[in-house]
Amino acid sequence: MLETNDNQPLLEVRQVSRRFGALVAVDRVSFSIQKGEIFGIAGPNGSGKSTLFNIITGIPFPPSAGEVFLAGQPIHKLRPHQISRAGVLRTFQKDAEFATLSALENVYASAVYCGQMGSNEARVAAQQALDDVSLAAERRTKAASDLSVFERKQLMIASAIAARPKVLLLDEPAAGLTRPETSDLADLIYTVHGRGITIVLIEHVLPLLLKVSEHLMVLNHGAVIASGKPEEVVRNPVVVAAYLGKREAGL
Amino acid sequence: MDALHNGKTWLIALLVITGLLVPIFVEDTYLRHLFIIAFVYGMVAASWDLTLGYAGIFNFAHIAFFGVGIYATGLTAKVLGVDPWMAMLIGGLAASAAAAIVALPIVRLKGVYVILVTFAFSQLVLQVVISQSSITGGTQGLVRVPTIWLPGYNFLRDYKLGYYYVAFGLLVATTVCLRCLVRSDFGLSIKALRDSEDYGVSRGIPIARQRLKALVASAFFTGMAGGFYVLYLRVASPEIFDFSTASLVLSMVLVGGTSSIYGPVFAALVLTFMSEGLANIDNFAEGRFMIVAVTMVVVLLFFPKGLASMLPNGFGEKTPEILLHRKRRIAGSTDHAE
Amino acid sequence: MIMVDMLSAILVSGIVLGSGYALMASGLSLVWTTLGIFNFAHGVLMTLGAYVAWTISSGGGLGLGLAAGVAVTVAALIGAGILIERVVVRPFYDHRDILLITVMTTLAAMIFLQNGIQLIWGARLKQLAPIVPGTVQLWRTTISAQETLMIVLAPIVLAALWLFLSRSRIGRGIKAVGQNADAARLIGIDVSRLFIITFALSALLAGLTGVLLGSVRLLTPEFGSEPLVKALIIVIFGGLGSLGGTIAAAYLLGIIEATLTFFIGIYWTPSMIFLLLIVVLLFRPQGLLGKVVR
């Protein structure tokens, strides 16, 4: 086994930018994440959080400039599906699951194509992943479009972990959830984390982020304005101003 | 669930046996001819649904692929003297090759461009066929194409009995292959991409490759069908590229239900007999296409899942159908079936 | 000298082609930008316009002359445009796959009308009398006066269309609906009325193209198919969603086609154009003149 040295970050993003014509959605953002971390990214709406996920995963577009490394290997030049197969998986803010396929098929497809497993192995992995997110057995044969909002969040996470990713990027997973559901989601994130998966979490509401993150980075206008321990970052006047300037913060 | 599945298996077996027995009771050459044409359309319609329904690729070049199969088979058999059976296979391969060329620009494009490019491609093939008249016969059509043969058997005498069984055999083989494809992991992946492109890619599905495969596979079956069609009729005419042919087959897919293999096959049978019946009414050749057009709109309006979905045992897919998904887009409906 | 003759021939015939394409494609593009659908019956509307004009004005028909022909054609096309919108487009506005479904329904409308035309007028070839007879020497190339009329009329009509869209209340409404139908509805714009007006306007443009081309080419029920396909290629080249891009692409395609026809002949030109289309799409999926949209 080739062990990567402990100081090498698992995911390293160097100076990535994304432009749309004159608009700079993400502006020279750099950060690195250690293996096993839960890394939170906050920022007001339109601050470039989701775009950052888009360019890291190449879905639907790569960065205009900059580099991304996974365990020291460059991944920003790979095709989007290859980035997923390399171990960087994401969820989507909007409903995106395979609506006409059953929950089980959703997860199985990921195990086969992303995890590159054989049929039998994928079937086992799919059930295991659904067990991990505790989606009720009788719901697994239902079409994904028939599932509830929370069940679909469970499904999206299950389909990611079935492929045994190295890093899981969660894009505003709490959107549309009730308060008790958000707390269940936090437990779910801990469960996934407990499986040895490094987590990057985007939220614009702070409670969940503050609860689970070990490190917090804040974006505004596409650039990093603060990064560090969550409790210190939220007291940073620049961060407070960015949030209050935009909207009443969920602090 | 199992009982239902078994019931379905029995029904399919019964239908296959019926299909085998038909020529014993139907001795009329014209009726047998209609069956043969219906079988060909069944192959074209069912294979179209692989791209249009299952993969959700807005592919409107399918009839052009059928035409490529027709001309590739007809020309290799007639001009190059290739064995007709071999030529039929060449027809399938040529259609696949054409599909691969079309796939090159469209696999990464969004819906509307796919529609435009595939339509444009269909016209291109038509233009090539018409302009290269010294080889293809141009608007006059390709004539005197050799036909299929078996040792000691003459397909031209026997009141189309031989053709009937070859067509039926091809239809059954095509249906079985298509069913296997859509139920395989590959089938799962193209349905997944249809439901959600970005999510599919994020789960490691190579979008360009899967769509290319779907187009190439679906074109192969329609190309083979085209190959048989020209060897059976022994003539080929550029009229096959008409929008009318496309809409006739499209109506079969719609009536049979998108995302179904059996549906379009049965719809092809019914619609071929209906449309030929109408064509026999004097001075009503145009009327039959007008009725086909009306049928398409009516089905889309009132039976978006296809008429076949109303059959017992649900011959269509049990999962919700893409065409049924409504969302508030412009008119602000109250439907929440997303 | 020969070089100049050649250049003149290519340019003049390219502009003639481009004028027809621009009129045709602008109607298609108008419906696309406003409603987000492709009207495959656009070509047959052009055919319908030419046939109606022929019936009213030509000696072979009622022989009522040009003015009556134009008046009835305008009325018929506005009617046909509205009918298509109501019957095969409107019922599907709230559909997720409105694009795919309306391709099929407008295709059905096209099949219906094309066969209807054949049923009414028969398959025999017809030709409209030119609105202006005679020939005109343009630079070093002689073309018919009718073709010259097209060259002159197309920019005028397109400029009028542009003025209408940017200056009139209805036109600005149409533009607003094209950008965001929901928002337009919120500020009190009668969206469904504008959809109908858009369709009628687009049908009118198709009909005008039909009347102009109907004396240059022969009328058959399939008269509109080829221009429809060209219009499709143009909107791909031009990039979807901009009328200006569509018009520029129409003239560009006219000149490309004339050039190719001159050098490699009419047989291979369509294939070359398609090849060009593929290359353009491979490198600029948003079209030659289109912009990247987020």
Side-chain angles (χ1 to χ4, degrees):
Chain A
M1 278 294 275
L2 218 154
E3 278 295 313
T4 48
N5 73 63
D6 284 348
N7 294 327
Q8 183 182 50
L10 180 61
L11 185 71
E12 188 181 3
V13 173
R14 278 187 212 156
Q15 297 282 310
V16 295
S17 297
R18 178 70 207 190
R19 298 162 193 285
F20 301 100
L23 176 77
V24 185
V26 170
D27 189 11
R28 285 162 294 168
V29 169
S30 300
F31 61 92
S32 57
I33 298 171
Q34 296 301 321
K35 188 173 185 324
E37 219 175 343
I38 300 184
F39 190 98
I41 300 177
N45 278 329
S47 58
K49 303 187 301 295
S50 285
T51 308
L52 187 59
F53 272 13
N54 291 346
I55 60 184
I56 291 173
T57 58
I59 302 165
F61 40 68
S64 320
E67 298 166 309
V68 183
F69 296 89
L70 181 69
Q73 300 298 314
I75 57 168
H76 51 275
K77 291 214 171 100
L78 296 179
R79 292 262 167 95
H81 74 269
Q82 293 170 325
I83 296 177
S84 308
R85 287 179 179 179
V88 181
L89 263 72
R90 68 172 297 182
T91 65
F92 292 84
Q93 191 180 336
K94 55 180 202 292
D95 282 338
E97 65 293 320
F98 309 133
T100 67
L101 305 187
S102 73
L104 189 57
E105 285 173 323
N106 265 270
V107 183
Y108 172 82
S110 171
V112 169
Y113 282 94
C114 198
Q116 299 191 276
M117 301 171 193
S119 244
N120 291 326
E121 194 191 346
R123 234 175 288 274
V124 174
Q127 292 288 7
Q128 179 63 47
L130 287 165
D131 288 343
D132 286 348
V133 301
S134 33
L135 183 74
E138 72 274 10
R139 304 292 287 164
R140 296 179 186 180
T141 50
K142 292 269 181 291
S145 58
D146 292 344
L147 299 181
S148 71
V149 176
F150 188 72
E151 284 172 329
R152 274 180 275 173
K153 306 267 183 199
Q154 290 175 302
L155 179 59
M156 228 193 273
I157 292 172
S159 88
I161 60 179
R164 317 242 160 88
K166 297 191 174 76
V167 187
L168 176 60
L169 312 181
L170 295 167
D171 192 351
E172 301 213 3
L177 294 186
T178 62
R179 200 173 284 260
E181 282 172 343
T182 307
S183 138
D184 290 345
L185 180 73
D187 293 339
L188 191 53
I189 292 171
Y190 287 131
T191 311
V192 175
H193 187 234
R195 294 282 180 280
I197 297 168
T198 306
I199 287 174
V200 186
L201 174 67
I202 283 181
E203 273 299 339
H204 75 269
V205 289
L206 292 176
L208 178 69
L209 269 180
L210 295 178
K211 184 173 170 190
V212 302
S213 307
E214 293 157 358
H215 185 104
L216 185 64
M217 180 173 95
V218 184
L219 291 181
N220 197 21
H221 301 302
V224 179
I225 55 168
S227 185
K229 284 197 185 321
E231 55 277 13
E232 285 165 17
V233 167
V234 289
R235 279 196 299 268
N236 185 328
V238 186
V239 173
V240 176
Y243 261 78
L244 291 181
K246 277 273 181 186
R247 44 182 285 143
E248 288 176 39
L251 285 164
Chain B
M1 204 59 193
D2 260 2
L4 201 76
H5 190 75
N6 282 338
K8 196 163 151 180
T9 312
W10 277 110
L11 190 54
I12 299 294
L14 194 70
L15 285 165
V16 172
I17 292 167
T18 315
L20 288 171
L21 294 179
V22 162
I24 297 175
F25 303 104
V26 180
E27 292 181 339
D28 181 63
T29 319
Y30 177 65
L31 281 179
R32 283 180 181 175
H33 166 74
L34 288 191
F35 271 107
I36 294 165
I37 297 297
F39 293 160
V40 171
Y41 277 133
M43 289 181 251
V44 180
S47 57
W48 194 352
D49 208 20
L50 183 64
T51 42
L52 196 64
Y54 286 95
I57 302 170
F58 295 178
N59 162 25
F60 285 90
H62 197 69
I63 296 304
F65 299 149
F66 180 55
V68 167
I70 289 178
Y71 276 91
T73 301
L75 288 172
T76 47
K78 185 189 166 181
V79 180
L80 301 181
V82 172
D83 180 278
W85 291 107
M86 198 56 178
M88 200 193 298
L89 188 65
I90 291 173
L93 295 175
S96 284
I101 293 172
V102 175
L104 203 65
I106 69 169
V107 285
R108 272 183 249 274
L109 295 178
K110 296 284 178 203
V112 57
Y113 286 106
V114 176
I115 293 174
L116 297 176
V117 173
T118 48
F119 261 108
F121 177 79
S122 308
Q123 291 307 303
L124 167 85
V125 178
L126 171 65
Q127 295 293 340
V128 170
V129 166
I130 290 177
S131 62
Q132 304 307 306
S133 57
S134 55
I135 306 166
T136 61
T139 48
Q140 304 295 310
L142 186 67
V143 291
R144 288 199 293 278
V145 176
T147 194
I148 45 177
W149 63 282
L150 282 174
Y153 178 79
N154 188 339
F155 273 92
L156 298 176
R157 318 214 164 135
D158 214 9
Y159 308 102
K160 300 187 187 292
L161 189 71
Y163 285 118
Y164 178 94
Y165 282 116
V166 172
F168 187 69
L170 284 171
L171 176 67
V172 171
T174 299
T175 311
V176 169
C177 288
L178 287 171
R179 285 287 298 170
C180 287
L181 270 179
V182 300
R183 293 161 67 98
S184 67
D185 287 349
F186 166 75
L188 194 66
S189 73
I190 60 173
K191 284 186 272 185
L193 289 171
R194 170 196 71 191
D195 286 356
S196 183
E197 257 174 49
D198 286 347
Y199 190 53
V201 175
S202 79
R203 292 301 173 262
I205 305 176
I207 185 163
R209 198 182 311 157
Q210 299 309 88
R211 293 203 162 151
L212 171 75
K213 281 188 201 163
L215 278 161
V216 166
S218 122
F220 177 77
F221 294 110
T222 198
M224 285 279 284
F228 171 77
Y229 188 72
V230 70
L231 296 172
Y232 165 62
L233 291 177
R234 309 191 63 199
V235 293
S237 137
E239 274 171 29
I240 203 77
F241 295 102
D242 272 5
F243 284 117
S244 314
T245 319
S247 65
L248 179 65
V249 181
L250 195 54
S251 72
M252 291 166 183
V253 177
L254 294 177
V255 168
T258 47
S259 300
S260 155
I261 296 297
Y262 296 129
V265 170
F266 290 119
L269 265 174
V270 175
L271 287 175
T272 304
F273 276 86
M274 263 178 53
S275 122
E276 288 296 320
L278 289 167
N280 286 334
I281 303 172
D282 281 344
N283 299 323
F284 203 59
E286 295 86 13
R288 94 179 155 138
F289 282 114
M290 294 171 83
I291 289 176
V292 165
V294 173
T295 309
M296 277 171 69
V297 176
V298 167
V299 167
L300 281 169
L301 265 179
F302 302 109
F303 309 98
K305 230 183 145 177
L307 290 174
S309 64
M310 327 224 351
L311 289 176
N313 282 358
F315 266 74
E317 290 276 293
K318 275 159 220 83
T319 43
E321 172 51 45
I322 186 166
L323 291 179
L324 286 177
H325 278 260
R326 282 164 181 267
K327 74 165 186 187
R328 286 158 52 100
R329 191 183 177 278
I330 296 171
S333 88
T334 51
D335 207 323
H336 295 296
E338 275 229 77
Chain C
M1 216 34 120
I2 295 165
M3 272 294 283
V4 179
D5 282 344
M6 193 174 84
L7 197 65
S8 152
I10 291 174
L11 263 181
V12 170
S13 66
I15 291 170
V16 170
L17 282 171
S19 307
Y21 292 161
L23 286 173
M24 186 71 187
S26 59
L28 197 68
S29 164
L30 183 64
V31 167
W32 166 257
T33 44
T34 313
L35 287 92
I37 68 154
F38 262 96
N39 178 18
F40 277 84
H42 197 65
V44 80
L45 286 171
M46 166 183 162
T47 316
L48 187 69
Y51 270 93
V52 171
W54 179 86
T55 305
I56 305 298
S57 62
S58 288
L62 300 173
L64 296 177
L66 187 67
V70 169
V72 175
T73 309
V74 166
L77 280 163
I78 290 177
I82 292 174
L83 211 61
I84 288 181
E85 196 271 348
R86 290 231 90 122
V87 178
V88 304
V89 179
R90 172 154 308 214
F92 304 103
Y93 278 147
D94 58 349
H95 223 289
R96 188 177 105 164
D97 285 311
I98 179 172
L99 175 65
L100 177 62
I101 288 183
T102 50
V103 165
M104 302 197 246
T105 55
T106 56
L107 192 64
M110 167 196 160
I111 296 295
F112 188 85
L113 288 174
Q114 191 171 308
N115 284 283
I117 286 169
Q118 176 134 9
L119 203 64
I120 297 171
W121 281 284
R124 246 186 57 208
L125 300 176
K126 296 177 175 43
Q127 190 160 30
L128 277 166
I131 298 171
V132 278
T135 57
V136 172
Q137 168 106 18
L138 209 64
W139 192 12
R140 288 161 171 274
T141 307
T142 307
I143 54 169
S144 69
Q146 177 79 7
E147 286 171 316
T148 316
L149 178 69
M150 279 176 63
I151 294 181
V152 178
L153 212 54
I156 296 175
V157 170
L158 295 170
L161 179 68
W162 182 80
L163 273 177
F164 172 75
L165 288 177
S166 53
R167 296 290 151 82
S168 78
R169 238 179 62 115
I170 294 179
R172 281 202 298 255
I174 289 176
K175 275 189 136 175
V177 170
Q179 275 155 16
N180 190 334
D182 288 327
R185 187 177 289 104
L186 281 176
I187 59 168
I189 293 177
D190 184 350
V191 172
S192 87
R193 191 175 67 110
L194 290 180
F195 281 173
I196 289 186
I197 292 174
T198 305
F199 246 90
L201 199 61
S202 151
L204 211 54
L205 283 164
L208 176 69
T209 323
V211 171
L212 288 172
L213 279 179
S215 62
V216 182
R217 302 182 184 183
L218 292 169
L219 288 185
T220 66
E222 287 90 32
F223 176 62
S225 297
E226 191 257 2
L228 172 72
V229 173
K230 287 286 157 58
L232 294 180
I233 291 177
I234 287 161
V235 291
I236 306 177
F237 269 125
L240 298 169
S242 116
L243 194 61
T246 304
I247 292 167
Y251 283 102
L252 189 65
L253 183 73
I255 288 169
I256 290 174
E257 192 177 337
T259 313
L260 285 173
T261 309
F262 191 90
F263 289 108
I264 61 172
I266 53 167
Y267 289 149
W268 285 108
T269 299
S271 325
M272 281 297 133
I273 288 177
F274 187 76
L275 213 66
L276 202 61
L277 182 77
I278 291 190
V279 173
V280 166
L281 282 175
L282 277 178
F283 292 101
R284 287 186 66 89
Q286 71 278 18
L288 207 54
L289 308 163
K291 291 189 200 72
V292 189
V293 265
R294 189 179 173 178

